[in-house]
């Protein structure tokens, strides 16, 4: 059973504040330092400053640390990060792990010192090796992204584990993501759930959002849309943009509660306006489709541009799609190619498929069948359904390759199993004509498959000829309707199809695995976003 979500103050950040300094006071504090702590508790920062200053100058590292924090935050003095850095260094040089952590943070941010990631990592490591959890967490992050140290998932997981075991929520969340993705550790959904829950119970909004994703996807727990929605709402109430977006997506698709287009638009727009790129992509898709908003291709382009400008691959791909089709913007194949290539470099399979199509059609470049196949195969290797359909069409038509009906049938089957409407249309043609190793021609089944495809999307150039239902006999027409009903009720049409006459020959079977996003055009996105270890 999912636990009840709750909120509590999240971790304050990487730089220790005055509240922490005061909490570290003890009865044995040196004269001056103790009085400074007491004055700070009362909010009398002028007195605290007078007490800390001479003690710090005499080498009291607790006083140096407190004085640094006062200058960093402007408690009783004008904020001065340069002076703060000077006092943090004096305490850090004496081996104080708190000061080492804070000095590392200043170097990472370029605050009071010149930005220097290697210097930041050096100080984080000194503190981390003393067991300071914030330093361990920060060193985990830097190892993850290769900032100041070589990129190393194993090191990132190592330091996150040490910090997480000390109860640091941000490290617990990040460690959960590592277990979800198998980064630096073996994938373990149960371990991921444990660490997400530990951080969420401390009120960490990112971990709460992650639990919303876990229950939505059924990772380590049974799928539970209602539990997912509860966690997303708690996280979104704290302003987490991933949760806001995913909550909007749940309301848009009616997961865990009745569909609420107005609520969906409100949450997704809120995340998009905060600068969250996946929400900007989703809002663009909504404008392109007229889903929960009035259709507006120019607005779609604007939101894709915002996401693309942040380097979001889906935004770049979708902007390219609008450019090459002249949707909401003047058609510009050269600009589209640039966007597709940017997205493809990030591993976006839809962009790879679009680059294949551009090469096949000679859009923004000369026709190049070999280049088209190369891009289609790269996208297909990532499980992209449109690329499977495109590659299968090349084989079915003998376009740039030797005609191979068996290879075509395998590709259409794989893409059909992923729910791609044009592939189901094409599979219907192959089945009706007994092509590619189909056990026997079945015109009624072919018509049923093409009818199923038409319910999902209009005809397109990515389809083989349309069958003529008027050629069916009365008996076959009734049977075709029965098959259509069966196809509708079973998410995997191959199960129904193969039950009629058995599967085709082995060389016609294509793997029906990989990216299940069966977009019927070249756009990408509009899905619940998984947790990210690079959130900080």
């Amino acid at each position: 059973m999912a636990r009840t979500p709750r909120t509590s103050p999240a971790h304050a950040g990487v730089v220790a504040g005055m509240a922490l300094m005061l909490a570290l006071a003890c009865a044995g504090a040196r004269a001056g330092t103790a009085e400074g702590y007491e004055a700070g508790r009362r909010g009398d920062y002028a007195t605290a400053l007078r007490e800390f200053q001479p003690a710090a100058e005499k080498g009291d590292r607790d006083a140096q640390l407190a004085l640094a924090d006062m200058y960093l935050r402007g408690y009783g003095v004008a904020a001065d990060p340069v002076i703060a850095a000077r006092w943090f260094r004096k305490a850090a040089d004496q081996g104080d792990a708190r000061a080492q952590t804070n000095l590392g943070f200043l170097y990472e941010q370029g605050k009071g010192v010149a930005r220097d990631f290697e210097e930041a990592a050096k100080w984080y490591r000194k503190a981390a090796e003393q067991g300071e959890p914030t330093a361990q967490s920060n060193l985990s992050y830097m190892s993850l992204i290769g900032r100041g140290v070589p990129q190393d998932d194993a090191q990132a997981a190592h330091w996150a584990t040490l910090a997480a075991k000390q109860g640091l929520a941000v490290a617990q969340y990040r460690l959960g993501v590592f277990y979800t993705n198998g980064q630096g550790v073996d994938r373990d959904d149960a371990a991921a759930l444990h660490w997400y829950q530990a951080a969420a119970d401390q009120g960490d909004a990112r971990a709460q959002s992650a639990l919303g994703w876990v229950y939505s996807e059924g990772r380590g727990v049974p799928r539970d849309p209602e539990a997912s929605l509860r966690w997303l709402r708690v996280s979104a109430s704290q302003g987490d943009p991933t949760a806001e977006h995913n909550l909007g997506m749940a309301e848009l698709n009616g997961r865990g509660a009745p569909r609420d287009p107005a609520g969906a638009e409100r949450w997704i727009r809120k995340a998009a306006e905060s600068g969250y790129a996946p929400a900007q992509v989703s809002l663009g898709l909504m404008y392109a489709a007229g889903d929960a908003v009035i259709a507006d291709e120019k607005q779609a382009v604007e939101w894709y541009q915002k996401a693309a400008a942040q380097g979001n691959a889906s935004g770049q791909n979708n902007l390219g799609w609008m450019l090459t089709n002249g949707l909401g913007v003047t058609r510009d194949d050269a600009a589209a190619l640039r966007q597709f290539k940017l997205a493809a470099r990030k591993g976006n399979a839809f962009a790879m498929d679009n680059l294949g199509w551009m090469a096949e059609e000679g859009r923004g470049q000369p026709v190049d069948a070999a280049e088209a196949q190369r891009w289609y195969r790269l996208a297909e290797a990532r499980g992209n359904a449109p690329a499977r359909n495109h590659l299968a069409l090349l084989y079915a038509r003998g376009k740039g390759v030797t005609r191979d009906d068996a290879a075509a049938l395998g590709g259409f089957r794989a893409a059909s199993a992923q729910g791609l409407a044009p592939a189901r249309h094409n599979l219907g043609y192959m089945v009706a004509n007994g092509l590619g190793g189909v056990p026997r021609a079945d015109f009624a089944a072919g018509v049923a498959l093409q009818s199923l495809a038409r319910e999902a999307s209009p005809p397109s150039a990515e389809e083989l000829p349309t069958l003529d239902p008027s050629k069916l006999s009365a008996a076959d027409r009734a049977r075709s309707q029965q098959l259509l009903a069966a196809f509708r009720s079973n998410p995997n049409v191959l199960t129904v199809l193969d039950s009629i006459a058995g599967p085709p020959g082995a060389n016609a079977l294509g793997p029906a695995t990989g990216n299940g996003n069966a977009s019927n055009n070249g756009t990408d996105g509009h899905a619940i976003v998984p947790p990210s270890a690079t959130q900080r």
Side-chain angles (χ1 to χ4, degrees):
M1 178 181 292
R3 299 187 195 178
T4 301
R6 67 184 181 87
T7 59
S8 65
H11 186 260
V14 294
V15 178
M18 178 61 79
L20 174 58
M21 298 301 100
L22 298 179
L24 293 170
C26 62
R30 297 179 185 179
T33 304
E35 287 83 352
Y37 284 137
E38 184 58 39
R41 286 194 186 92
R42 298 194 306 268
D44 183 356
Y45 297 122
T47 299
L49 182 65
R50 285 197 304 271
E51 297 293 341
F52 285 139
Q53 186 80 41
E57 290 173 351
K58 292 176 182 178
D60 184 329
R61 69 183 191 182
D62 284 338
Q64 290 169 343
L65 185 61
L67 197 58
D69 192 64
M70 292 182 73
Y71 275 104
L72 184 66
R73 298 172 184 272
Y75 290 148
V77 293
D80 191 328
V82 174
I83 296 177
R86 190 181 308 146
W87 285 113
F88 278 136
R89 182 179 292 278
K90 288 181 180 294
D93 284 340
Q94 295 192 66
D96 189 282
R98 301 159 298 173
Q100 291 168 343
T101 301
N102 294 340
L103 185 58
F105 180 73
L106 294 185
Y107 272 111
E108 185 182 358
Q109 298 297 312
K111 194 169 185 179
V113 293
R115 175 174 280 186
D116 187 329
F117 293 139
E118 291 184 1
E119 192 72 6
K122 181 188 83 172
W123 288 109
Y124 284 151
R125 186 176 297 278
K126 286 178 180 291
E129 289 174 347
Q130 295 190 64
E132 211 292 317
T134 301
Q136 291 169 340
S137 178
N138 292 351
L139 193 54
S140 166
Y141 177 80
M142 296 185 81
S143 297
L144 175 66
I145 65 172
R147 175 179 286 177
V149 294
Q151 197 286 326
D152 189 328
D153 285 348
Q155 279 292 296
H158 166 73
W159 290 114
T161 299
L162 293 179
K165 287 181 177 178
Q166 295 194 65
L168 190 66
V170 63
Q172 292 171 337
Y173 163 75
R174 186 175 298 122
L175 185 57
V177 179
F178 290 153
Y179 277 113
T180 290
N181 297 335
Q183 285 178 270
V185 292
D186 292 334
R187 176 175 159 177
D188 187 333
D189 289 339
L193 177 64
H194 166 78
W195 289 113
Y196 290 146
Q197 190 74 61
D201 285 345
Q202 294 190 62
D204 187 274
R206 294 158 299 191
Q208 293 165 343
S209 177
L211 284 175
W213 177 82
V214 163
Y215 283 105
S216 174
E217 300 299 303
R219 293 288 292 269
V221 292
R223 287 181 188 268
D224 189 336
E226 290 78 15
S228 172
L229 208 59
R230 288 196 299 273
W231 281 112
L232 291 175
R233 283 174 174 157
V234 171
S235 179
S237 71
Q238 298 195 65
D240 182 82
T242 303
E244 291 169 347
H245 171 265
N246 290 350
L247 177 57
M249 292 304 303
E251 292 185 344
L252 187 67
N253 295 309
R255 291 196 304 263
R259 174 175 154 87
D260 181 359
E265 187 267 343
R266 183 172 61 253
W267 282 114
I268 293 172
R269 185 179 296 280
K270 185 174 186 291
E273 290 178 345
S274 76
Y276 186 59
Q280 292 170 339
V281 172
S282 290
L283 193 55
L285 286 163
M286 291 163 68
Y287 274 113
D291 190 3
V293 294
I294 297 172
D296 187 330
E297 290 174 345
K298 288 185 178 180
Q299 279 285 307
V301 168
E302 288 183 13
W303 286 108
Y304 292 153
Q305 287 173 329
K306 290 177 186 291
Q310 297 190 61
N312 180 274
S314 295
Q316 291 166 339
N317 174 72
N318 294 3
L319 179 58
W321 177 259
M322 303 297 276
L323 284 164
T324 198
N325 287 283
L327 301 173
V329 65
T330 302
R331 177 177 158 177
D332 187 335
D333 288 337
L337 274 174
R338 287 195 295 272
Q339 293 297 325
F340 289 145
K341 287 177 179 177
L342 287 170
R345 288 188 196 119
K346 298 180 177 73
N348 186 282
F350 284 92
M352 294 173 186
D353 174 60
N354 286 330
L355 284 169
W357 178 78
M358 298 282 279
E360 180 185 352
E361 298 296 318
R363 299 288 288 271
Q365 61 191 319
V367 171
D368 190 333
E371 184 72 353
Q373 290 176 55
R374 185 177 76 85
W375 282 115
Y376 287 151
R377 292 191 188 282
L378 286 170
E380 180 193 36
R382 289 163 172 77
N384 182 264
R388 284 175 167 155
N389 183 63
H390 284 140
L391 195 56
L393 277 169
L394 294 183
Y395 282 112
R397 292 168 172 166
K399 189 176 181 181
V401 295
T402 302
R403 177 170 169 172
D404 186 336
D405 288 342
L409 180 67
F412 293 143
R413 282 175 59 89
S416 293
Q418 292 176 262
L420 189 71
R424 289 177 171 178
H425 174 100
N426 295 336
L427 181 59
Y429 179 85
M430 302 292 282
V431 167
N433 290 282
L435 300 173
V438 172
R440 64 180 177 83
D442 190 333
F443 199 80
V447 169
L449 281 167
Q450 290 198 346
S451 298
L452 182 70
R454 283 295 72 78
E455 291 176 357
S457 68
S460 76
E462 301 173 357
E463 295 178 345
L464 296 174
T466 299
L467 304 170
D468 184 358
S470 68
K471 294 182 178 179
L472 289 169
S473 67
D476 280 343
R477 187 176 299 111
R479 179 170 169 269
S480 184
Q481 288 298 312
Q482 291 173 345
L483 287 171
L484 177 58
F487 287 141
R488 286 171 178 154
S489 64
N490 194 319
N492 188 345
V493 296
L494 301 186
T495 302
V496 177
L497 188 62
D498 293 346
S499 70
I500 302 169
N507 63 349
L509 291 174
T513 59
N515 184 350
N517 187 336
S519 169
N520 291 322
N521 60 28
T523 56
D524 171 33
H526 225 12
I528 186 168
V529 178
S532 169
T534 57
Q535 279 187 293
R536 194 151 184 197

